[in-house]
Amino acid sequence: MSTLKADTNMLACLPKKTERIKWTPYLRKYISNGYAEHPDLYTDDFRVLDELRNDCIYMETNEKALNRLIKYYAQLVFLSSKFPIDVCIKSFKHTYIYI
């Protein structure tokens, strides 16, 4: 784990490791079935969500990375208001490995 400078206001904590997943197939299916909309309307949104997640998996310890993590978290909160919580959970096993 890298060390942070003494003048930072970031809290150092042990990282977690997770697997790469894509939200796109699960959300596309739900949108198509649940909202009767064509999922291609959201292609760019899916791409951004998948990129944010993958960026967060391989994060460095700096403020730019923290901002990416906050943006990803905000997207997850937004998604939770639009989709049932189990849309993706049924389809993959989400595990964290402490490193």
Side-chain angles (χ1 to χ4, degrees):
M1 184 165 132
S2 64
T3 58
L4 298 174
K5 290 193 255 177
D7 62 347
T8 184
N9 61 355
M10 293 178 65
L11 176 65
C13 57
L14 295 175
K16 294 179 182 180
K17 184 179 178 184
T18 188
E19 299 174 15
R20 290 182 77 143
I21 62 158
K22 288 192 176 218
W23 291 93
T24 302
Y26 312 109
L27 295 176
R28 287 180 65 84
K29 183 178 177 183
Y30 188 84
I31 288 171
S32 181
N33 296 333
Y35 292 124
E37 290 185 15
H38 200 285
D40 287 347
L41 296 170
Y42 304 98
T43 301
D44 288 335
D45 299 315
F46 296 145
R47 180 186 50 75
V48 169
L49 182 64
D50 286 336
E51 285 176 4
L52 281 170
R53 175 171 172 80
N54 290 330
D55 288 351
C56 291
I57 291 174
Y58 304 109
M59 255 187 359
E60 295 180 19
T61 311
N62 59 42
E63 195 167 334
K64 182 179 177 184
L66 179 60
N67 289 335
R68 264 323 244 184
L69 186 59
I70 291 169
K71 187 173 181 179
Y72 178 60
Y73 175 75
Q75 290 297 313
L76 292 178
V77 169
F78 176 75
L79 282 175
S80 70
S81 72
K82 303 293 180 191
F83 298 96
I85 192 73
D86 63 350
V87 167
C88 296
I89 294 174
K90 288 179 184 176
S91 304
F92 66 88
K93 185 178 179 181
H94 188 75
T95 57
Y96 284 109
I97 303 164
Y98 289 93
I99 56 175

